Amino acid sequence: MLAFAPRDRLNERDMLRPKLDPPRGVLHARAQPFSPGYGRYWPCDELAPFVEHFWTVAWDEPTPVTREVLPHPSVHLVIEAGASAVAGVPAGRFSRRLEGQGRVLGTKFRPGGFRPFVARPISTLTARTVPLVELFGPSAESLEAEVLALADPAAGFALVQSFLLDLRPHRDPQAELAARIAERAATDRDIVRADELARAFSLSLRALQRLFADYVGVPPKWVIQRYRLHEAAERIAAGGLGDGATLAHDLGFADQAHFIRAFKRVVGHAPGEYAERLAASTDRAG
C-alpha cells in the first residue's frame, strides 16, 4: 500500500501553485500557458531538485485529433487509466491520437532528476515506457486509482508528490550537474557542439557523454540540437520563418541546408512547410 498522505491530511506544503509561463515544444500550435483541460504546477521545495513541474491534459474529442510535441531531455511519470508508466526520453517527436474522453496527469523530471529514484542508468529507459510497478514495486499498484479518483488535478498531484517523497530520493551532485549542463545547453546560443559544452564545465567530452548516458538518457549533442529546434519552432510560430538563412545561423547550424534537414527529420516538415501549416491552422481556428 502507498504511504502518501490522504486528502484530508494534506498540509500547506502539498498545495501546488500553477505554473504560468508558456510551454515549450508544442508543435503545430501557438503555445499558451493554459487552455481547456491543460495545466501545469510547481512541485514543493523538497521535490524541486528533481521535478521540473507537474502537468495535466484532459480531452473530450468526438472526432479523433493528433497532438504532437517535440520532447525535452526529461523523463515523465504518467498517470492514465490502464496505462500508468514512466516514459523515458523519446527518440523523435511525440505523437498522441486523442479520441473520446480522457485525461493524463504527468510529472516532468528535470534532466538528470529521475536518476535518484532508480538504480539504473537513464539510458536504459530511453524510447521506452515502463509500467510503474516494474520500477517501484507493489507500492505503485494503487497510485493510479487513488489519483484518478480525484477530480481536482492539483489534489491528484499532491498524492503523486507524497508518493515520490516517500521514495526518499537523495540529492545527487552528479544529477544536479547534469541539470545545470542541460540548462546551459538550453540558454547559451554560443554553444553549438558537445565539446564546447564539455569545456564550459571543465569536463572531457567522454566524461560528459558518460554523465548524460547515466543521468539524462540521451547524448549531449542530442540535447543541444533539441533545444535549438525548440527555439526554431517557437520563432516560426511567433512570426513565420522570415530569413531562413539568418535563423539557421542564429541557432548555430553550419548552414541553412543543415538546419532544414535537422528540422524536417525531427518535426516531420521542412521549416517553410511547417510555417505554412501553422498559419493555415491559425486561420481555420480564427
Side-chain angles (χ1 to χ4, degrees):
M1 296 297 291
L2 292 175
F4 52 67
R7 179 61 180 156
D8 59 0
R9 289 167 46 204
L10 296 177
N11 56 38
E12 187 175 352
R13 181 203 68 183
D14 299 298
M15 299 300 104
L16 305 181
R17 295 179 296 111
K19 185 176 183 179
L20 301 177
D21 54 315
R24 299 194 76 186
V26 178
L27 295 176
H28 310 296
R30 291 179 168 85
Q32 301 295 328
F34 283 99
S35 60
Y38 177 79
R40 296 184 300 166
Y41 302 85
W42 295 105
C44 67
D45 291 344
E46 295 96 321
L47 280 182
F50 313 103
V51 171
E52 186 167 328
H53 60 246
F54 300 104
W55 56 269
T56 183
V57 176
W59 63 91
D60 185 355
E61 300 287 353
T63 302
V65 298
T66 298
R67 302 294 186 217
E68 293 190 318
V69 175
L70 199 56
H72 295 239
S74 297
V75 172
H76 291 253
L77 187 156
V78 178
I79 303 294
E80 182 178 7
S84 297
V86 167
V89 181
R93 67 186 180 276
F94 174 79
S95 296
R96 175 69 187 263
R97 186 174 185 266
L98 304 179
E99 184 176 8
Q101 294 182 330
R103 67 172 178 141
V104 176
L105 286 82
T107 302
K108 179 184 178 183
F109 291 84
R110 296 184 180 279
F114 190 66
R115 183 64 174 84
F117 291 89
V118 290
R120 64 169 72 181
I122 298 304
S123 58
T124 64
L125 301 175
T126 300
R128 294 183 60 208
T129 300
V130 182
L132 296 184
V133 175
E134 181 177 328
L135 285 178
F136 301 121
S139 65
E141 287 184 351
S142 62
L143 180 62
E144 176 185 302
E146 295 280 355
V147 169
L148 295 181
L150 298 169
D152 179 6
F157 287 130
L159 296 186
V160 174
Q161 187 162 258
S162 292
F163 172 80
L164 293 173
L165 289 170
D166 285 339
L167 295 173
R168 305 195 186 287
H170 295 288
R171 294 186 65 166
D172 182 339
Q174 290 296 96
E176 294 179 13
L177 174 61
R180 291 197 303 273
I181 295 174
E183 177 66 18
R184 181 72 173 269
T187 58
D188 189 343
R189 287 188 187 172
D190 292 333
I191 292 179
V192 297
R193 300 197 314 270
D195 61 331
E196 296 171 337
L197 190 59
R199 284 197 300 272
F201 288 85
S202 300
L203 296 172
S204 69
L205 177 58
R206 182 60 186 145
L208 178 64
Q209 291 169 336
R210 287 196 300 267
L211 176 71
F212 271 49
D214 194 2
Y215 283 84
V216 182
V218 287
K221 179 180 178 181
W222 186 101
V223 173
I224 293 169
Q225 186 175 90
R226 180 53 50 92
Y227 284 131
R228 299 299 171 267
L229 294 178
H230 277 165
E231 184 172 351
E234 288 174 356
R235 290 174 63 169
I236 292 171
L241 181 59
D243 183 349
T246 299
L247 179 57
H249 178 269
D250 287 349
L251 297 177
F253 287 90
D255 52 43
Q256 187 174 4
H258 280 84
F259 166 57
I260 292 172
R261 285 196 297 271
F263 193 94
K264 185 174 183 178
R265 183 176 65 251
V266 177
V267 176
H269 306 283
E273 182 184 1
Y274 179 76
E276 292 173 359
R277 291 169 64 92
L278 183 60
S281 66
T282 301
D283 290 344
R284 289 195 297 271

